[in-house]
Amino acid sequence: MRLVQCTKESGIDLATWDPGTTLARCKPNMIKSYNYYRNFQLRHDELQWAGMGGLVGADFGSGIEDLELGKFIYELPGIAQLSRTIISNVGLRYGIAAQKALPSGLRAVATHADKITPNDLGWFVRKVLVMQKAIYQDMMTQHLT
């Protein structure tokens, strides 16, 4: 009953909130859950965790979107070797300082792209979506008044 109440107040359709699907399908409910955290804390200022949850929602969601988009990069054949070649050529042409100034993401792709698969990233995204829903269900049902 409490879960029905908080999802209704959040505007979340619990029947469609399936973290086993895709980020795109979960995103509207994710946004609503973080908005609910924020608004809940505004009504209950003693529950600072809810306000913090609402504040980090956008950053958290963006990080998950980055992982989702990262699947496309890791699908590119030879991306790890290409990244290593870019880093090496920048170092040879412009020096170590320029090489170290390259984005850390490029170095991560160079180091890990041949070890991480798009399925690995998809698995991780789904696990985080499951955890995000579980935290909402656990925390909000305990704090309803």
Side-chain angles (χ1 to χ4, degrees):
M1 183 66 165
R2 295 173 77 87
L3 180 58
V4 171
Q5 180 185 347
C6 64
T7 53
K8 185 177 179 182
E9 289 177 8
S10 302
I12 293 172
D13 179 5
L14 192 56
T16 63
W17 194 0
D18 181 4
T21 58
T22 65
L23 174 60
R25 291 188 70 190
C26 291
K27 187 175 176 179
N29 287 331
M30 180 185 273
I31 291 168
K32 290 173 185 175
S33 72
Y34 289 118
N35 286 338
Y36 189 65
Y37 287 158
R38 183 192 65 232
N39 293 333
F40 193 81
Q41 195 273 328
L42 291 173
R43 293 190 312 268
H44 303 279
D45 60 354
E46 73 279 9
L47 299 176
Q48 293 180 0
W49 69 264
M52 289 184 274
L55 289 172
V56 302
D59 290 337
F60 180 79
S62 295
I64 298 304
E65 283 184 325
D66 287 348
L67 286 171
E68 183 82 6
L69 291 172
K71 292 190 304 188
F72 300 113
I73 293 170
Y74 283 84
E75 287 176 341
L76 296 171
I79 191 69
Q81 183 55 49
L82 176 60
S83 300
R84 287 191 287 269
T85 300
I86 291 168
I87 292 169
S88 176
N89 286 340
V90 165
L92 290 172
R93 183 163 185 159
Y94 301 105
I96 295 293
Q99 191 178 47
K100 289 182 179 181
L102 290 170
S104 62
L106 180 63
R107 289 190 296 279
V109 170
T111 305
H112 303 292
D114 53 356
K115 299 172 192 80
I116 298 172
T117 69
N119 286 339
D120 294 334
L121 295 174
W123 176 88
F124 186 75
V125 167
R126 284 188 305 279
K127 291 298 180 189
V128 171
L129 292 173
V130 166
M131 288 185 276
Q132 189 268 334
K133 180 181 177 184
I135 291 167
Y136 172 88
Q137 289 175 323
D138 183 46
M139 297 305 291
M140 293 319 305
T141 56
Q142 290 185 49
H143 290 89
L144 283 178
T145 55

